[in-house]
Amino acid sequence: MKSYNNMSSNENIRVMISGGGTGGHIFPAIAIAKAIQRKMPLAEFLFVGAQGKMEMEKIPEAGFKIEGLWISGFQRSLSLKNLSFPFKLVSSLMKAKTIIKNFKPQVVIGVGGFASGPTLRVASNMGIPCLIQEQNSYPGVTNKLLANKVKSICVAYEGMDKFFPKEKIKLTGNPIRKQVTEGNKNEALEFFKLDKAKKTILVVGGSLGAQSVNLAIAGEIENWAKLDAQVIWQTGKTTFEESKTALENSAAKNIHIYDFIRRMDLAYAAADLIISRAGAIAISEISAVGKPVIFVPFPFAAENHQTKNAQKLVDHQAAKLIADNKVSEELFQTTADCLANEGLLKSMEKEIKKLGVLNADDIIADEVIKLIS
């Protein structure tokens, strides 16, 4: 790890990080901040988020200060909500300018999400060096609009010069929660009360779950019960009760159901095969732990980016992909076929491990510090 002790002890370094809206933006932002903090212990941080969004809660929980802008997304369909958008944008640009003038950052980082647009636009116009971190294989509108104004663009996928100026791109991977890679398999099997002699399937759809996946499993629960494998099924909160009822009305003894899993390190460690949505951070975590995976992309993600994310891994023979509208027909059989093919599981594991990046946060932190120095 590079040392910047002289710089951190001699200068009052101030770093601003903007963006949020979902965990997929927030957790990478926190990981980047902590990596910079490790290298420059005296650095000061200020986050800028969107009022009412989850970053306003999660960032303080991680120990950082945050200011909120009155901003939301522009609806792509005809909507009365769009009438307030120009007022919110002007308000956010004005408030961002005040926040930046007061904090005086030496660098501003955008991680995507509503707040990053106004913040980075104002900062770049004021001559402050800016960096954006794009998690997806297909960038969001905000980052595409900011690309010509920022100094550096950190990406997780190859071929991003289709969207961004090639000379600004740094292939860094996505920052992930380090602890998810540290699970111990024996501890995991004990934690979830699993049979060491059987393969384990982890079904996970993010904190809200994946409704189509849950319905597909509930609809064929007797087939899943007959699998010579055990299942850790995280349903999310919205369909937990109906999924639990379907499970209780079946003969299944091999399925362990949860609305939310806090120990994802142990869930990943236990898994021999994962079924997951294809958010950028989920993909980065699964690649880092190196587990075979069946992706069921969320079909309503902006620009269909989850399908594009997953397809990149399918192209490397590192994953399987089932379209959301095919999941009820194909999920059980695809899972059974994968479990029965040990060679396929080993091949997918080998290929996905090649795509895993464990130190993206450190690489991005070095890019940020270059902009300061």
Side-chain angles (χ1 to χ4, degrees):
M1 184 186 291
K2 295 182 184 178
S3 172
Y4 298 90
N5 288 339
N6 289 339
M7 184 187 292
S8 65
S9 61
N10 293 332
E11 296 183 40
N12 184 23
I13 298 301
R14 291 176 303 279
V15 179
M16 183 173 282
I17 303 178
S18 187
T22 67
H25 295 312
I26 296 163
F27 298 126
I30 293 169
I32 293 166
K34 288 185 173 178
I36 297 169
Q37 208 169 41
R38 287 194 298 272
K39 295 167 185 284
M40 307 178 75
L42 299 184
E44 292 180 47
F45 294 87
L46 180 64
F47 282 72
V48 180
Q51 289 174 7
K53 295 296 181 180
M54 67 185 288
E55 59 264 27
M56 302 307 293
E57 178 186 337
K58 296 296 181 187
I59 298 300
E61 283 177 5
F64 297 101
K65 295 176 184 173
I66 187 166
E67 295 264 6
L69 303 181
W70 184 47
I71 189 67
S72 60
F74 187 82
Q75 306 296 313
R76 295 173 194 208
S77 56
L78 286 173
S79 171
L80 290 174
K81 292 179 181 177
N82 287 336
L83 295 176
S84 65
F85 180 77
F87 302 100
K88 288 182 177 182
L89 181 60
V90 171
S91 165
S92 294
L93 289 166
M94 290 170 64
K95 187 169 181 185
K97 190 169 187 178
T98 300
I99 293 169
I100 290 167
K101 279 185 172 180
N102 289 338
F103 185 64
K104 300 182 177 63
Q106 277 106 329
V107 65
V108 179
I109 303 162
V111 293
F114 305 141
S116 65
T119 308
L120 270 75
R121 179 167 286 277
V122 170
S124 59
N125 286 345
M126 293 170 72
I128 300 166
C130 297
L131 173 148
I132 54 177
Q133 195 263 324
E134 174 55 62
Q135 296 100 23
N136 293 298
S137 61
Y138 192 94
V141 173
T142 299
N143 280 351
K144 283 198 276 190
L145 291 173
L146 290 169
N148 289 322
K149 291 189 162 287
V150 302
K151 299 282 187 188
S152 184
I153 303 170
C154 295
V155 302
Y157 294 92
E158 294 175 344
M160 297 298 283
D161 52 347
K162 295 196 294 281
F163 310 106
F164 299 134
K166 190 173 184 177
E167 67 278 6
K168 295 183 181 183
I169 294 173
K170 314 287 180 188
L171 184 61
T172 61
N174 277 324
I176 61 169
R177 298 171 288 177
K178 285 268 195 297
Q179 64 269 30
V180 300
T181 65
E182 296 168 356
N184 174 278
K185 182 144 193 173
N186 287 331
E187 184 189 351
L189 295 173
E190 193 174 312
F191 181 85
F192 290 107
K193 298 180 173 55
L194 300 173
D195 184 343
K196 292 182 181 180
K198 291 184 181 293
K199 281 193 163 50
T200 301
I201 304 160
L202 170 63
V203 182
V204 61
S207 58
L208 298 177
Q211 186 176 27
S212 61
V213 172
N214 293 339
L215 291 173
I217 293 173
E220 288 197 86
I221 197 80
E222 297 301 345
N223 283 336
W224 289 86
K226 293 172 191 170
L227 272 178
D228 185 26
Q230 53 211 346
V231 181
I232 302 170
W233 182 14
Q234 188 216 270
T235 63
K237 289 181 169 52
T238 48
T239 57
F240 176 69
E241 291 302 331
E242 59 189 282
S243 301
K244 187 180 177 187
T245 299
L247 183 58
E248 288 171 347
N249 291 336
S250 76
K253 304 294 181 195
N254 61 331
I255 299 174
H256 305 257
I257 191 167
Y258 304 87
D259 63 346
F260 184 72
I261 297 172
R262 299 199 177 278
R263 292 297 305 273
M264 280 306 298
D265 58 329
L266 297 182
Y268 284 140
D272 297 290
L273 176 66
I274 297 172
I275 297 166
S276 175
R277 287 299 199 197
I281 302 307
I283 287 180
S284 296
E285 289 185 351
I286 293 166
S287 301
V289 297
K291 296 297 174 91
V293 59
I294 300 168
F295 287 119
V296 183
F298 180 57
F300 304 111
E303 312 287 355
N304 199 22
H305 68 251
Q306 285 208 7
T307 299
K308 290 163 184 169
N309 290 347
Q311 189 61 49
K312 294 280 185 181
L313 278 80
V314 173
D315 292 345
H316 283 89
Q317 286 80 51
K320 295 284 185 185
L321 188 158
I322 299 174
D324 193 80
N325 62 1
K326 298 283 188 183
V327 69
S328 59
E329 304 163 32
E330 298 180 8
L331 183 62
F332 173 75
Q333 195 57 54
T334 302
T335 302
D337 290 347
C338 286
L339 287 176
N341 190 337
E342 191 66 37
L344 175 64
L345 290 177
K346 286 194 182 322
S347 172
M348 285 201 292
E349 182 177 322
K350 179 183 171 187
E351 295 306 318
I352 202 166
K353 278 181 176 174
K354 292 177 185 175
L355 304 175
V357 180
L358 295 174
N359 64 335
D361 53 349
D362 283 320
I363 299 169
I364 295 167
D366 287 337
E367 286 298 319
V368 172
I369 292 165
K370 276 186 205 170
L371 292 182
I372 298 171
S373 58

